[in-house]
Amino acid sequence: MYCKHCANPLDPAAVVCVKCGAPRGQGANFCQNCAAPSVPGAVVCTTCGAALSQPVQGVQKSKMAAGLLGIFLGSLGVHNFYLGFTGKAVAQLLLTLIGGWLFGLGAIAASIWGLVEGIQILTGSIKADAKGVPLAD
Ligand SMILES: [Zn+2]
Ligand SMILES: [Zn+2]
């Protein structure tokens, strides 16, 4: 078993590569079976024939839903929770809840932030969720 990211031999019990830190089985540069360089997009290793597992594809989220959530509920970070950008979503939520109490401006700032992101989602400037899965039209 080799690291698919850097071809370093992996201990059978290792969860991450000690050399590059990539999680076991992650990466697309080398075959995990023989450490030969992988052809980009190949499903099997051209050297040893081992199956190269493809990156995990999650369920595609709706671009329209994410965009509308951003425009209407962006100040609560709902669109970012939906897309999996939890850190950004919490920041927007806190800006609205805490910033709103302190200044009344936090909520406005968060609304504009969400509105801009909603438009970016609808226009395709933001085209994937936090896992890199492209949004469905
Ligand atoms: Zn590695
Ligand atoms: Zn191979």
Side-chain angles (χ1 to χ4, degrees), residues 2 21 23 34 36 42 47 50 56-57 59 63 68-69 74 77 79 83 85 87 89 93-94 100 105 113 122 128 132:
Y2 297 91
C34 71
T47 306
V56 183
Q57 287 284 315
V59 179
K63 181 200 221 175
L68 293 178
L69 286 173
H79 59 301
L83 295 179
F85 297 109
L93 193 58
L94 289 181
L105 292 174
W113 186 3
L122 291 179

Side-chain angles (χ1 to χ4, degrees), residues 12 20 27 34 41 44 47 72 91-92 96 125 127 135-136:
C20 73
C34 71
V44 294
T47 306
F72 293 108
Q92 286 168 332
T96 298
S125 301
K127 28 170 129 46
L135 301 181

Side-chain angles (χ1 to χ4, degrees), residues 3 5-8 17 19-22:
C3 174
H5 190 73
C6 72
N8 181 45
C17 172
K19 196 162 151 211
C20 73

